[in-house]
Amino acid sequence: MFKKFILSIILITPLLSYSQEGLISNTFNRNTTTLNGTWHYIVDPYETGYYNYRFEPYDQLKKKNKSAFYNNYHTDNKLELVEYDFDKSPTLLVPGDWNSQDEKLFYYEGTIWYKRSFDYQLANITNRLFLYFGAVNYKAEVYLNGQKLGVHEGGFTPFNFEVTSIVQPKSNYLVVKVDNKRVKEGIPTINTDWWNYGGITRDVKLIEEPSTFVQDYKIQLKKGDVNSISGYIKLNNLTKQEKVIISIPELKINKTLLVDDDKEVRYEISSKNIQLWSPKSPKLYAVFIKTDQQTLEDKIGFRTIQTSGPDILLNGKNIFLRGISIHEENPMRGSRAYNEADALVLLSWAKELGCNYVRLAHYPHNEYMVHMADKMGLMVWEEIPVYWTVDFSNEKTLNNAENQLTEAITRDKNRASIIIWSMANETPPSETRNHFLIELAELARKLDDTRLISAALEKHNKNGVNIVDDEMGNYIDIVAFNQYTGWYGGSLENAPNAKWNIKFNKPTVISEFGGGALQGLHGTVKERWTEEYQEYLYQQNLKMIEKISNLRGMSPWILADFRSPKRVLPIIQDGWNRKGLISNNGIKKKAFYTLQNFYKKIEKEYE
Ligand code: GCB
């Protein structure tokens, strides 16, 4: 009987494909219950739990179905054929990628079903409950007590579903189908130079909220104005006029807003003497957003970021971005980074290198990273995985990229550390590509007009001159490009004399340069893969790019060695991209110190 009931619900539940409309921000400071821990899993390469033998998805069948892993099969009928058992299946840790948790799953790309049970009693009968995922790579289909909550695509951004009417006090049965198969029309597409870690890779939690609650808000300095805080408040399920107070005790701010619209309600607060956030002094203020029913706390820094001709101005002052690129991987564990301790390891290395800036490549990293950057005083470039050759002519692919961008900005727009939203990396120029990226840039500006927009472009060479003339340079604030002189071609000896023709009078940032070295391998500067070669490559590249007149920053490739299935050279690579300044054992290579010295020099020049 119970089973029939569940099935009929499935048939009338619309399948949601995107959930950003209701995305809840600042989940760190809400009333939450973690669902991290051990989850049972079933590896399902043929997607047997999803399709019947006619290859029809069970959850879209008109007729009663026979078997699907997401159903809560507590059947009394002993004759029923049931060919799976979650509770007798092994477990994986959540958060965490599956590749590093079981040798058999190291190269696995496909479907794995996750399951866990939980009890939950709402503190108050009128409260509401949401199920929140920090990220699932790549596609998640979520079922609670046999009911499909929805689908989410994109492996690096959060999503949530309301479960108030489905949750029970005891034995809730939560099942997630996770599929990390690479697909041509995905964001990213099939081809990337990083490990396609699968699984529920970030925190999972239940969020309990009052019936009307603060879903999202923006509290930042108004563009270019150090005396004015502005933004919006968004309440969920507004049934009557509500009073919202934004309070920043240290600044003696207590602003009351009367909200009678559940769209975003905008406000502006003027305040003198705001102590500005900067890498030297990463001041964060305690901010409270209060309604009759709740008080939400955040720690927010205030700063302005602008460009003027070739200059980048932080709080009106000319700066140079002393950066490094970082993948979201703990190299010493050889797995996705997912917690505060991992963020501390990665960003402390960046600090030690002398950075005031990091490029979080090539997708939005977990939220601990940007909070840590706020606290440590590191400016951040955040990017979405529009990487290389995504399917630019596909409208659905564009929607997917827009959705990932929206989720990233929704989550992180109150982080002072983030100064740049980047739309793409090394995408091949064409009309179709331009249309795709311009749409994204416009969306980013619409969602957040206080930050700079960029994309990592490429250079090309004509008659010995390096040219940067990508049409996208007209639409972005920071002209960033990757270049690999001395690694993928170009002579290192002549590098310092290279000629440049960069067509835009905007700040130029070298978003990548670098070369590989196996830590501990020594030789001459002419021997590839030695630490000496990498050191020389850094020396010569730095001499070269220093001469670019509009150069205002760089993020060499990359902080630490990272896993990539494309890197198959035995003994040297063994599945690792070796361009790290730090090895996967956490040991610094010679080039680390070359860059560190260069940054010391630059820091003095910009003081
Ligand atoms: C690039 C890509 C980066 C690669 C790097 C490399 O240009 O942006 O994702 O990992 O080159 O090592 O080749």
Side-chain angles (χ1 to χ4, degrees):
M1 199 52 224
F2 181 49
K3 187 167 85 186
K4 253 194 200 137
F5 171 69
I6 290 164
L7 292 173
S8 60
I9 295 174
I10 289 168
L11 298 180
I12 52 166
T13 309
L15 301 186
L16 314 170
S17 51
Y18 295 122
S19 57
Q20 90 267 15
E21 262 300 293
L23 184 60
I24 299 173
S25 61
N26 188 11
T27 65
F28 282 13
N29 291 304
R30 292 178 187 265
N31 177 11
T32 61
T33 304
T34 183
L35 292 181
N36 290 350
T38 51
W39 291 50
H40 288 283
Y41 73 99
I42 297 173
V43 185
D44 187 18
Y46 279 44
E47 300 184 288
T48 302
Y50 195 74
Y51 295 108
N52 69 10
Y53 82 123
R54 295 288 182 231
F55 211 60
E56 297 157 326
Y58 286 114
D59 63 20
Q60 284 158 47
L61 286 183
K62 294 261 156 22
K63 288 189 300 223
K64 175 179 180 227
N65 68 31
K66 266 292 173 204
S67 160
F69 291 171
Y70 55 81
N71 270 328
N72 193 356
Y73 270 81
H74 301 302
T75 174
D76 292 334
N77 179 357
K78 297 275 188 271
L79 289 177
E80 182 96 46
L81 175 63
V82 178
E83 296 189 82
Y84 70 94
D85 188 338
F86 271 114
D87 297 330
K88 294 201 175 92
S89 298
T91 57
L92 282 170
L93 282 176
V94 170
D97 59 79
W98 63 55
N99 314 72
S100 63
Q101 294 192 53
D102 180 345
E103 235 173 88
K104 288 200 294 296
L105 299 176
F106 188 60
Y107 284 108
Y108 184 68
E109 295 184 300
T111 284
I112 288 189
W113 295 82
Y114 282 73
K115 178 257 160 181
R116 73 160 284 167
S117 304
F118 64 91
D119 299 340
Y120 198 85
Q121 196 80 54
L122 285 168
N124 182 326
I125 190 85
T126 59
N127 279 1
R128 297 162 67 193
L129 195 68
F130 295 83
L131 173 62
Y132 179 93
F133 293 85
V136 174
N137 191 40
Y138 167 79
K139 188 173 179 187
E141 311 213 13
V142 185
Y143 306 85
L144 183 61
N145 298 336
Q147 179 161 341
K148 187 160 193 171
L149 303 177
V151 184
H152 182 267
E153 220 180 304
F156 305 97
T157 45
F159 54 97
N160 50 249
F161 304 106
E162 179 158 13
V163 296
T164 315
S165 62
I166 306 169
V167 75
Q168 302 159 0
K170 291 269 169 225
S171 307
N172 289 283
Y173 188 87
L174 175 59
V175 173
V176 186
K177 175 186 187 292
V178 182
D179 184 359
N180 76 332
K181 264 195 300 302
R182 285 169 292 130
V183 288
K184 176 175 173 286
E185 62 281 6
I187 297 286
T189 183
I190 290 169
N191 195 22
T192 64
D193 185 22
W194 71 78
W195 206 271
N196 179 26
Y197 289 112
I200 304 180
T201 49
R202 295 187 190 158
D203 295 333
V204 185
K205 47 189 129 180
L206 294 163
I207 309 174
E208 184 166 342
E209 292 291 335
S211 64
T212 301
F213 67 97
V214 179
Q215 180 189 306
D216 186 26
Y217 54 87
K218 183 173 182 192
I219 300 179
Q220 290 280 281
L221 282 187
K222 191 174 164 190
K223 192 178 175 67
D225 184 348
V226 294
N227 294 317
S228 187
I229 294 172
S230 78
Y232 58 80
I233 303 281
K234 186 171 168 31
L235 296 187
N236 183 301
N237 188 35
L238 198 79
T239 51
K240 58 175 177 45
Q241 190 184 64
E242 294 278 341
K243 201 168 78 183
V244 181
I245 300 169
I246 300 173
S247 123
I248 310 177
E250 224 185 310
L251 291 171
K252 301 198 168 45
I253 289 176
N254 253 310
K255 169 89 172 176
T256 302
L257 302 172
L258 291 177
V259 179
D260 40 26
D261 191 335
D262 59 8
K263 305 266 160 16
E264 297 160 1
V265 174
R266 309 208 149 254
Y267 68 85
E268 207 171 309
I269 306 166
S270 56
S271 175
K272 296 269 178 299
N273 308 322
I274 300 173
Q275 193 187 326
L276 301 175
W277 183 98
S278 74
K280 280 237 166 85
S281 160
K283 167 73 186 168
L284 300 177
Y285 284 95
V287 174
F288 301 89
I289 302 110
K290 298 181 201 163
T291 66
D292 285 348
Q293 301 179 67
Q294 74 181 145
T295 298
L296 204 55
E297 188 181 349
D298 206 343
K299 296 242 166 6
I300 297 183
F302 300 106
R303 51 105 197 92
T304 60
I305 191 79
Q306 289 160 288
T307 65
S308 165
D311 294 331
I312 304 175
L313 307 175
L314 175 73
N315 302 326
K317 203 177 147 232
N318 205 354
I319 53 161
F320 188 95
L321 303 175
R322 307 188 309 270
I324 190 72
S325 296
I326 306 182
H327 260 299
E328 192 196 39
E329 193 175 281
N330 181 329
M332 295 171 299
R333 216 175 41 225
S335 70
R336 275 260 167 267
Y338 54 76
N339 59 20
E340 202 169 12
D342 290 339
L344 187 63
V345 168
L346 295 170
L347 297 182
S348 299
W349 278 336
K351 281 294 251 194
E352 198 182 335
L353 189 57
C355 293
N356 61 1
Y357 162 74
V358 289
R359 174 184 180 199
L360 301 184
H362 277 304
Y363 36 75
H365 288 207
N366 63 71
E367 208 171 341
Y368 296 103
M369 285 290 274
V370 286
H371 277 280
M372 189 67 75
D374 258 16
K375 273 194 240 165
M376 289 173 92
L378 284 162
M379 294 177 277
V380 170
W381 155 307
E382 179 158 314
E383 105 187 49
I384 51 169
V386 176
Y387 182 90
W388 291 349
T389 55
V390 306
D391 200 356
F392 292 109
S393 59
N394 188 331
E395 225 19 61
K396 282 200 183 128
T397 304
L398 176 58
N399 292 341
N400 182 352
E402 286 173 336
N403 185 58
Q404 294 190 36
L405 180 64
T406 306
E407 289 168 343
I409 294 179
T410 304
R411 192 193 74 178
D412 288 343
K413 64 190 167 308
N414 291 316
R415 303 285 68 85
S417 51
I418 299 180
I419 56 164
I420 298 169
W421 302 120
S422 171
M423 304 298 106
N425 180 74
E426 290 184 352
T427 51
S430 75
E431 283 290 311
T432 331
R433 191 275 330 233
N434 292 351
H435 166 75
F436 194 101
L437 297 193
I438 292 166
E439 291 275 313
L440 289 175
E442 281 172 0
L443 175 63
R445 285 191 208 284
K446 195 180 100 198
L447 294 172
D448 177 14
D449 67 353
T450 67
R451 286 176 176 83
L452 308 175
I453 305 292
S454 194
L457 308 174
E458 290 175 301
K459 67 158 176 85
H460 62 98
N461 194 289
K462 201 169 168 197
N463 305 325
V465 181
N466 294 312
I467 302 173
V468 179
D469 60 359
D470 189 316
E471 180 65 20
M472 278 311 293
N474 294 314
Y475 296 89
I476 54 184
D477 303 308
I478 303 270
V479 175
F481 65 93
N482 301 348
Q483 67 84 26
Y484 278 90
T485 304
W487 192 256
Y488 296 127
S491 121
L492 278 183
E493 282 70 35
N494 302 331
N497 304 320
K499 294 199 172 43
W500 292 90
N501 182 355
I502 297 170
K503 299 268 177 180
F504 311 94
N505 184 32
K506 296 186 178 183
T508 300
V509 167
I510 310 284
S511 32
E512 289 178 25
F513 75 86
L518 181 64
Q519 184 275 318
L521 187 67
H522 295 285
T524 70
V525 298
K526 293 209 175 336
E527 286 169 280
R528 239 185 232 262
W529 305 113
T530 63
E531 287 195 39
E532 286 70 19
Y533 187 98
Q534 190 191 39
E535 181 185 37
Y536 183 57
L537 184 145
Y538 266 74
Q539 288 164 350
Q540 294 296 88
N541 270 268
L542 290 170
K543 281 185 198 154
M544 172 181 77
I545 60 184
E546 230 182 340
K547 293 187 181 157
I548 297 175
S549 60
N550 288 354
L551 187 78
R552 293 297 181 275
M554 61 178 84
S555 49
W557 194 254
I558 186 173
L559 182 67
D561 291 352
F562 62 98
R563 283 197 195 278
S564 169
K566 291 175 96 68
R567 307 298 173 169
V568 295
L569 182 65
I571 301 160
I572 301 287
Q573 292 180 315
D574 292 325
W576 292 85
N577 184 317
R578 294 291 182 199
K579 295 190 188 71
L581 295 175
I582 299 175
S583 76
N584 60 302
N585 297 321
I587 303 173
K588 294 174 185 102
K589 305 179 193 173
K590 285 183 140 192
F592 181 94
Y593 301 101
T594 313
L595 187 61
Q596 191 185 50
N597 285 332
F598 179 78
Y599 281 163
K600 277 186 195 145
K601 187 183 89 177
I602 290 271
E603 190 177 0
K604 285 210 183 84
E605 284 172 19
Y606 272 79
E607 251 164 22

